[in-house]
C-alpha cells in the first residue's frame, strides 16, 4: 500500500471516531435520554384550579369533580357545598390559631409540656372533626346522585377514607430471587 492511501484511511477513521464521540457527548451530556425526565406540567396559567399557584380543591370538591355532577345537580347541592366550605374555613382557622399557640409554648423556657400536650390534642381533635364533617357532607350527596354516581361515590369513599392495607412484606430472609 502506498502512503497516500494509508493516510486517507487514517483520516477517514479519525473522522468516523470524531463523529461517534460527538454523538456520545451530545446524547449523554447535552440531551437527556428519552423518558428519563417526567413530561412538563400541563399548560395553564397560575390561578386556575388545580394548577400551581391556583386555588386548591377541598376534599368534597375533589370527589364532586370525580363524580362528574351536571349543572342541575351542582345547583341543588350549592347550599351544602357553601355550608361545608364555610365550616371548613372556620375549622382550619381555628387549627391555625392553636398551632400558633403551640409555637409560642414551644419557644418558652422552660417549656410547659402539659400545655403543649393539650394543644397537640386540641389540633388532633379539630382535624378528626374536620374528617367527620367531610364524610357527613359526602354522605349527604347520595340522595341527589344517579345510581352510577352513588356506586362511584362508594368506591371513592373506600379508596380515600379507608384505603386497603399495603401488601404484606416478605419475611426477613425472603424468598430466593429468580434467576435472570
Amino acid at each position: 500500500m502506498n502512503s497516500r492511501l494509508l493516510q486517507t484511511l487514517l483520516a477517514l477513521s479519525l473522522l468516523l471516531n470524531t463523529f461517534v464521540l460527538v454523538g456520545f457527548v451530545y446524547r449523554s451530556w447535552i440531551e437527556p435520554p428519552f423518558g428519563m425526565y417526567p413530561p412538563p406540567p400541563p399548560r395553564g396559567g397560575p390561578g386556575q384550579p388545580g394548577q400551581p399557584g391556583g386555588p386548591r380543591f377541598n376534599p368534597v370538591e375533589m370527589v364532586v369533580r370525580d363524580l362528574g355532577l351536571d349543572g342541575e345537580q351542582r345547583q341543588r347541592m350549592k347550599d351544602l357545598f357553601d355550608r361545608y366550605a364555610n365550616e371548613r374555613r372556620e375549622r382550619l382557622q381555628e387549627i391555625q390559631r392553636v398551632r400558633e399557640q403551640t409555637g409560642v409554648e414551644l419557644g418558652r423556657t422552660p417549656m410547659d409540656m402539659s400545655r403543649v400536650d393539650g394543644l397537640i390534642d386540641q389540633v388532633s381533635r379539630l382535624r378528626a372533626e374536620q374528617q367527620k364533617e367531610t364524610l357527613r357532607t359526602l354522605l349527604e350527596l347520595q340522595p341527589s346522585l344517579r345510581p352510577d354516581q352513588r356506586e362511584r361515590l362508594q368506591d371513592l369513599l373506600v379508596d380515600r377514607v379507608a384505603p386497603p392495607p399495603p401488601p404484606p412484606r416478605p419475611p426477613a430472609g425472603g424468598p430466593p430471587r429468580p434467576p435472570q
Side-chain angles (χ1 to χ4, degrees), residues 4-119:
R4 191 87 166 132
L5 181 63
L6 189 58
Q7 288 175 347
T8 305
L9 289 175
L10 285 174
L12 286 174
S13 176
L14 180 64
L15 185 65
L16 180 64
N17 286 334
T18 303
F19 280 120
V20 168
L21 286 175
V22 168
F24 172 75
V25 168
Y26 177 77
R27 185 74 173 139
S28 62
W29 290 348
I30 297 173
E31 180 185 303
F34 180 73
M36 188 128 179
Y37 298 103
R43 294 197 178 248
Q48 294 176 347
Q51 294 294 324
R56 292 176 25 181
F57 292 115
N58 66 44
V60 170
E61 289 171 339
M62 287 190 289
V63 170
V64 165
R65 286 186 72 209
D66 290 345
L67 290 175
L69 300 183
D70 59 31
E72 182 182 325
Q73 287 175 315
R74 285 181 185 271
Q75 190 60 36
R76 280 186 290 185
M77 299 178 200
K78 185 177 182 335
D79 292 338
L80 177 66
F81 298 150
D82 291 343
R83 180 178 47 107
Y84 173 77
N86 290 334
E87 289 175 4
R88 179 178 166 81
R89 189 176 313 106
E90 290 171 7
R91 191 167 285 115
L92 291 176
Q93 288 171 352
E94 189 173 349
I95 289 172
Q96 186 59 35
R97 281 193 300 273
V98 175
R99 290 181 72 196
E100 289 170 1
Q101 290 174 358
T102 305
V104 168
E105 288 296 324
L106 290 173
R108 291 190 179 161
T109 309
M111 183 174 32
D112 181 6
M113 201 53 199
S114 63
R115 176 93 171 114
V116 172
D117 285 345
L119 292 169

